[in-house]
């Protein structure tokens, strides 16, 4: 008996197909696996192609909120057992391709998609972004130690140590010679111990002239460790500057006579009376400054700074204890809540953003100085250090 036969008495032995339906049924069943296989192959090819297409965007997503004190080392006789925790917060910054752009843009509620120009700015080549982040972390570590020790009553000092290379313009005269984190200490024998001194040393030199740079071949590691290298002489043929006057960031407007193609900052050599080191791993940027400062103070002053709470903090810091704004606070707020923090200290500029993301279990406070942060912790039950008790402690 075939598929088209019936055993009903008095009816024809074959049912004619209606619009080809009955006759097409078996062939259709055989065709669907082929159709599905083709669709799967096409989908796989499409995913592969999208994954290879670069787009000019990054995704910022919640990172980790982890205790900062494991990154901090102080002399054993000054170290204290901690009550409570201070959390360092970060975000993940991921370059996107066409596939991940679609995923993060339309299917991730925690991701912030940002264009490359908005993230890097006009002066940061993408291939220098990571190195610059680690360099910022190294500078933040030094500033955190300076701010913490100053608050505790120690005398600290610093001297100008050269023009620190922060960025190198692609295709510029400097691109063939200089790298991020190196330090220029002289041009044609003229000392350049500050960023402004480097600008002054170039004044009067002409395009096409060969300048001899004294360069410290220092490096920056993924743990934010700045390591000095050998000092070498590097010849560079200077280029032609853009027309017109420019702000030299040193208080005056000048008309450049030659072009090197670097952005620099003044490198400081610190003299700390207590050996304090901060080593993070694979964390870039300056935004951990406040949390590192609080962690150093907590370890050196008794370990009761947080009042047995879990406190998260974000914000840049300078040696004078001023707190500056940072990015990614929306994602950081999500991260600190996941980590169980009940207090989050943020710069005033990011206060509203943090408030918009927090749940009732998290208290957010705006701080613009280290002193403000410490007063808030005291109000919440923390114990602040008394300067004179530690000012004369042995290093």
């Amino acid at each position: 008996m075939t598929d088209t036969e019936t055993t009903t008495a008095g009816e024809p032995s074959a049912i004619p197909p209606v619009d080809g339906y009955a006759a097409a049924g078996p062939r259709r069943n055989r065709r669907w696996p082929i159709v599905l296989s083709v669709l799967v192959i096409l989908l796989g090819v499409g995913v592969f192609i999208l994954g290879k297409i670069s787009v000019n965007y990054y995704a910022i997503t919640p990172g980790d909120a982890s205790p900062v004190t494991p990154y901090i080392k102080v002399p054993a006789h000054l170290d204290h057992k901690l009550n409570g925790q201070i959390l360092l917060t970060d975000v993940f910054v991921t370059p996107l391709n066409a596939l991940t752009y679609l995923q993060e843009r339309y299917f991730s509620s925690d991701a912030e998609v940002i264009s490359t120009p908005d993230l890097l700015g006009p002066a940061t080549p993408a291939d220098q972004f990571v190195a610059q982040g680690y360099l910022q972390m190294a500078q933040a570590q030094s500033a955190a130690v300076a701010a913490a020790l100053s608050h505790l009553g120690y005398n600290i000092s610093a001297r100008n140590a050269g023009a620190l290379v922060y960025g190198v313009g692609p295709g510029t005269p400097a691109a063939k010679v200089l790298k991020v984190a190196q330090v220029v200490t002289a041009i044609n024998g003229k000392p350049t111990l500050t960023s402004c001194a480097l600008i002054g040393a170039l004044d009067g030199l002409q395009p096409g002239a060969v300048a001899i740079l004294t360069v410290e071949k220092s490096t920056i590691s993924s743990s934010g460790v700045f390591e000095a290298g050998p000092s070498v002489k590097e010849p560079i043929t200077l280029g032609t500057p853009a027309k017109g006057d420019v702000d030299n960031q040193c208080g005056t407007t000048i008309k450049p006579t030659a072009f090197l193609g670097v952005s620099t900052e003044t490198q400081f050599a610190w003299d700390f009376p207590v050996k304090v080191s901060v080593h993070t791993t694979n964390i870039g940027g300056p935004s951990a400054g406040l949390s590192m400062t609080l962690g150093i103070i907590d370890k050196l002053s008794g370990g009761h700074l947080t009042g047995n709470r879990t406190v998260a903090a974000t914000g840049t810091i300078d040696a004078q204890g001023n707190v500056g704004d940072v990015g990614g606070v929306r994602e950081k707020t999500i991260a600190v809540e996941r980590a169980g923090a009940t207090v989050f200290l943020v710069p005033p500029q990011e206060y509203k953003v943090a408030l918009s993301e927090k749940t009732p279990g998290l208290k957010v406070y705006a701080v613009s100085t280290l002193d403000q942060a410490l007063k808030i912790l005291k109000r919440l039950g923390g114990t602040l250090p008394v300067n004179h008790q530690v000012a004369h402690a042995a290093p």
Side-chain angles (χ1 to χ4, degrees), residues 61-68 85-92 110 287-288 291 309-315 326-347 350 353-355 357-365:
T61 53
D64 297 321
S66 55
V68 69
Q85 294 186 109
I86 297 171
L87 303 184
L88 175 155
T89 67
D90 60 30
V91 296
F92 296 133
D110 290 343
S287 65
S291 61
R309 297 172 182 265
T310 298
V311 176
T314 188
V326 296
V329 171
R330 173 185 174 273
E331 292 74 23
K332 290 175 182 178
T333 306
I334 296 171
V336 301
E337 289 204 297
R338 289 174 179 173
T342 58
V343 175
F344 192 21
L345 306 176
V346 303
E350 276 74 46
V353 174
L355 278 183
E357 292 296 328
K358 83 173 192 70
T359 60
L362 181 68
K363 300 296 183 182
V364 178
Y365 299 90

Side-chain angles (χ1 to χ4, degrees), residues 37-115:
S37 297
V38 171
L39 289 175
V40 169
I41 292 172
L42 291 175
L43 180 61
V45 171
V47 168
F48 176 80
I49 292 173
L50 289 174
K52 294 295 184 180
I53 299 175
S54 297
V55 295
N56 213 23
Y57 288 89
Y58 285 77
I60 300 177
T61 53
D64 297 321
S66 55
V68 69
T69 48
Y71 301 120
I72 301 169
K73 291 185 179 180
V74 302
H77 68 283
L78 295 177
D79 203 355
H80 293 85
K81 181 181 178 181
L82 305 183
N83 295 274
Q85 294 186 109
I86 297 171
L87 303 184
L88 175 155
T89 67
D90 60 30
V91 296
F92 296 133
V93 181
T94 308
L96 299 178
N97 55 43
L99 177 62
T100 53
Y101 173 85
L102 294 174
Q103 293 172 336
E104 300 293 356
R105 185 80 173 187
Y106 299 106
F107 299 102
S108 175
S109 60
D110 290 343
E112 178 183 359
V113 176
I114 185 170
S115 70

